Amino acid sequence: MQCADEWSCISETGCDCTPFSSWAAVCTLAHILADTMTDSQTDGAAAESPMEFYEKVTAQGEAVRELKTGKAPKEEIDVAVKLLLQLKLDYKRVSGQDYKAGWPPTDSPASGESVPAAAEDGDDLVDPWTVATSNAKGVDYEKLIVRFGSSKIEAELIERMERVTGQKAHRFLRRGIFFSHRRVQQPCPSALDMHQILDAYENKKSFYLYTGRGPSSEAMHMGHLIPFIFTKWLQDVFDIPLVIQLTDDEKYLWKDLTLEDCHRYAVENAKDIIACGFDVNKTFIFSDLDYMGMSSGFYRNVVKIQKHVTFNQVKGIFGFTDSECIGKISFPAIQAAPSFSTSFPQIFNGRKDIQCLIPCAIDQDPYFRMTRDVAPRIGYPKPALLHSTFFPALQGAQTKMSASDPNSSIFLTDTAKQIKNKINKHAFSGGRDTVEEHRKHGGDADVDVSFMYLTFFLEDDEKLEQIRQDYTSGALLTGELKKCLIETLQPMITQHQERRKQVTDETVKQFMTPRKLDFHF
Ligand code: TRP
């Protein structure tokens, strides 16, 4: 058996790790340790930072791995392993934290923000670039909450939101599509982000919304609308400013596209976003390529963030390798910057204490774990977060909709006929093979993509529940379920297309011009 963390289970039985035994090795080890100690004592070990120790442990871990793969003599491996253990102890002594590969020391060990993004959890892989699971029901979000260290949005929070705002919660909240938020401080369980935001609202203290989109193509699909539909609802309910970041720079760095293409996609995507109904007097949409050089606040914040996050930290959080271009390595600071109100002096009049709330899909969380980690160190409040699940691909919830696979997605430009054909042909069904079997045993709504889409878009709770029951009992056939979905989506998309047609270049320019909004700070 190969253990998961060979460095931390050296003495455990049942794994391949070599137990420490040989006397020769003990002697050699004694010399190495003596050398290390003398060195560090004369140089002043206390002066060495946790990060330096962290790097030493990492390097020694790699050395052990190399010795093992190179089938080095057992004694040599034993010595290297023992040194590794000693270095780990040293690391714990100076940092107060246990060494964890890919988890560099933080200034605030209890903050719990620096969880590696791409850790694989059973079969689920979730990071800003990949979402995949082998489970037909989709990613296990309960597990993800535990792994990312966020908190579930409980019924009680939804009730409070309804009480405070006097409005029925959005169906995305009622149905667990926006399902998680972040805790402000570990030791204080009542200090949950969203509660803090509601406190602010009750006390008439202002906050603002921030969300974004990476413009990787002209074609947006329905999944892309989820955060914007929800953000629009939040903006209406709370009546607060909203900033929307279009990361054309990010897409240029990650994809094989020209800068001009990325910028053009940003402007095109802005039209679809505006068509969601945002109020021009309350919303600022910006392209990074345009705004970064224009603003007197934005780049200053980017640099502050860059100064307070190490290469090791972004490696740990995003899984970057040494051969990544430096643009990617520094990009997280650019996605972090809009979380701080001083990035928009024209809106917030230079105030640095306006709390930010970020609705986003949970794959974006690594960016904001990093943001929350640096915020107190640069004198800003941590942004609060609301996380959504993914919008499943037509083929099934194993992955999310992807614009690069046309059959996996319903695009905002699809005609009524295309929508009908795609759903009938590609939407993964939880129904039975024959009508007889379906009537007898019923279908499985939990894996049925048409049913999942209805949970996103059918407003009527009772109707949705009736459909679930009828499908499960076998009274409702797959064809009938699909028909219901088609009839829900066709008018929605047509209306979107009509609203988008109304959005002129002039309108886009208004939204994208840095200016004061209808709020006084
Ligand atoms: N990185 C995101 C994407 O590729 C875009 C983005 C930027 C974003 N800032 C954001 C998404 C804030 C959510 C919230 O789509």
Side-chain angles (χ1 to χ4, degrees):
M1 187 190 105
Q2 185 67 48
C3 62
D5 180 1
E6 58 189 353
W7 305 345
S8 56
C9 71
I10 282 154
S11 58
E12 280 170 20
T13 50
C15 76
D16 287 345
C17 302
T18 323
F20 176 72
S21 59
S22 137
W23 267 111
V26 176
C27 298
T28 327
L29 173 73
H31 283 118
I32 295 175
L33 290 183
D35 283 353
T36 336
M37 280 190 255
T38 335
D39 271 3
S40 48
Q41 270 154 13
T42 43
D43 292 353
E48 239 166 325
S49 70
M51 186 50 88
E52 281 165 308
F53 273 101
Y54 174 84
E55 280 161 5
K56 277 189 180 173
V57 180
T58 307
Q60 186 61 16
E62 268 159 30
V64 170
R65 213 193 294 272
E66 266 170 34
L67 287 173
K68 282 188 176 176
T69 40
K71 302 249 180 300
K74 190 170 168 301
E75 295 74 35
E76 226 178 289
I77 296 178
D78 288 343
V79 171
V81 163
K82 221 38 194 175
L83 177 57
L84 176 61
L85 282 178
Q86 182 58 45
L87 286 170
K88 278 188 174 185
L89 286 176
D90 287 345
Y91 173 73
K92 186 162 186 178
R93 181 172 45 78
V94 297
S95 71
Q97 301 164 44
D98 282 322
Y99 176 83
K100 254 196 175 157
W103 199 339
T106 52
D107 282 1
S108 45
S111 76
E113 308 281 4
S114 299
V115 189
E120 278 174 73
D121 193 46
D123 290 323
D124 295 356
L125 175 62
V126 176
D127 69 20
W129 305 281
T130 323
V131 174
T133 173
S134 61
N135 186 343
K137 291 181 188 169
V139 171
D140 185 335
Y141 291 105
E142 297 278 337
K143 264 198 200 164
L144 209 59
I145 283 182
V146 175
R147 202 176 83 209
F148 280 11
S150 60
S151 307
K152 197 173 163 182
I153 297 180
E154 306 282 359
E156 182 225 329
L157 174 59
I158 300 178
E159 277 160 29
R160 180 168 180 220
M161 238 190 237
E162 292 188 331
R163 236 184 3 258
V164 170
T165 62
Q167 308 232 13
K168 186 173 176 183
H170 192 271
R171 61 178 186 279
F172 290 171
L173 284 167
R174 305 199 301 269
R175 311 222 176 116
I177 288 165
F178 271 81
F179 71 107
S180 139
H181 63 151
R182 272 206 172 273
R183 207 176 275 271
V184 170
Q185 290 293 335
Q186 292 304 336
C188 180
S190 63
L192 293 168
D193 279 9
M194 203 48 219
H195 280 296
Q196 208 192 29
I197 292 278
L198 291 172
D199 290 345
Y201 182 74
E202 279 187 312
N203 297 328
K204 307 248 174 309
K205 244 178 85 180
S206 197
F207 59 100
Y208 73 103
L209 293 160
Y210 157 41
T211 191
R213 148 131 189 101
S216 50
S217 79
E218 226 162 291
M220 280 177 71
H221 60 58
M222 294 188 50
H224 293 139
L225 285 191
I226 307 297
F228 295 107
I229 293 172
F230 188 61
T231 304
K232 154 89 174 115
W233 179 81
L234 288 169
Q235 184 183 46
D236 287 349
V237 166
F238 291 110
D239 190 28
I240 44 174
L242 161 67
V243 296
I244 299 176
Q245 179 180 45
L246 301 171
T247 51
D248 36 15
D249 50 350
E250 175 192 18
K251 294 302 149 184
Y252 171 71
L253 289 165
W254 261 270
K255 307 247 166 182
D256 189 16
L257 296 167
T258 65
L259 270 175
E260 287 63 38
D261 281 342
C262 295
H263 186 261
R264 190 162 49 81
Y265 297 155
V267 175
E268 284 308 305
N269 290 179
K271 292 182 185 163
D272 281 298
I273 294 169
I274 293 167
C276 292
F278 293 107
D279 182 342
V280 69
N281 297 313
K282 299 175 181 171
T283 310
F284 172 48
I285 304 179
F286 62 98
S287 123
D288 284 344
L289 292 176
D290 287 337
Y291 183 60
M292 183 105 124
M294 249 154 102
S295 167
S296 63
F298 195 86
Y299 186 59
R300 282 175 164 72
N301 278 337
V302 170
V303 175
K304 276 191 193 169
I305 299 159
Q306 285 172 342
K307 185 165 172 169
H308 290 83
V309 182
T310 66
F311 183 28
N312 263 307
Q313 281 168 322
V314 288
K315 269 205 253 187
I317 299 173
F318 298 94
F320 293 146
T321 64
D322 287 2
S323 50
E324 228 84 65
C325 73
I326 59 172
K328 286 188 186 177
I329 293 157
S330 58
F331 174 76
I334 299 174
Q335 183 152 333
S339 316
F340 306 129
S341 54
T342 46
S343 294
F344 308 98
Q346 71 280 11
I347 301 174
F348 301 107
N349 195 21
R351 278 185 57 181
K352 62 178 213 172
D353 60 336
I354 313 292
Q355 166 93 49
C356 172
L357 173 63
I358 308 172
C360 64
I362 190 140
D363 60 341
Q364 297 299 306
D365 188 63
Y367 287 111
F368 302 117
R369 284 204 293 270
M370 186 200 87
T371 309
R372 289 167 51 100
D373 206 38
V374 291
R377 283 185 266 151
I378 55 178
Y380 295 138
K382 289 183 180 193
L385 284 156
L386 288 173
H387 298 128
S388 76
T389 62
F390 305 112
F391 194 64
L394 277 165
Q395 284 74 10
Q398 280 91 344
T399 185
K400 60 177 181 173
M401 266 196 180
S402 154
S404 47
D405 175 3
N407 285 333
S408 78
S409 314
I410 295 172
F411 291 100
L412 301 177
T413 47
D414 281 350
T415 62
K417 202 167 154 211
Q418 280 171 318
I419 295 171
K420 183 175 167 204
N421 288 342
K422 275 190 191 175
I423 292 172
N424 282 334
K425 218 166 144 184
H426 298 292
F428 181 80
S429 165
R432 303 281 172 169
D433 290 344
T434 64
V435 174
E436 292 70 41
E437 269 186 63
H438 190 89
R439 292 268 187 239
K440 200 164 151 204
H441 303 292
D444 184 353
D446 287 346
V447 300
D448 194 289
V449 169
S450 302
F451 184 77
M452 288 180 202
Y453 285 11
L454 281 175
T455 63
F456 279 81
F457 293 112
L458 188 67
E459 179 60 31
D460 188 333
D461 290 340
E462 277 165 32
K463 195 167 169 202
L464 185 71
E465 179 54 22
Q466 193 61 50
I467 290 173
R468 200 187 59 76
Q469 284 178 16
D470 291 349
Y471 195 60
T472 312
S473 74
L476 190 74
L477 297 174
T478 297
E480 293 164 334
L481 175 66
K482 287 192 170 185
K483 186 162 174 277
C484 180
L485 175 65
I486 292 164
E487 284 167 3
T488 308
L489 295 189
Q490 281 175 335
M492 242 189 67
I493 302 269
T494 312
Q495 280 158 23
H496 178 88
Q497 290 166 353
E498 276 160 15
R499 284 194 306 266
R500 194 188 192 276
K501 260 193 241 147
Q502 312 288 315
V503 181
T504 61
D505 288 342
E506 188 48 41
T507 320
V508 177
K509 210 171 138 198
Q510 278 179 339
F511 272 94
M512 297 186 72
T513 302
R515 73 216 121 91
K516 187 178 174 314
L517 300 177
D518 264 6
F519 299 93
H520 305 291
F521 288 95

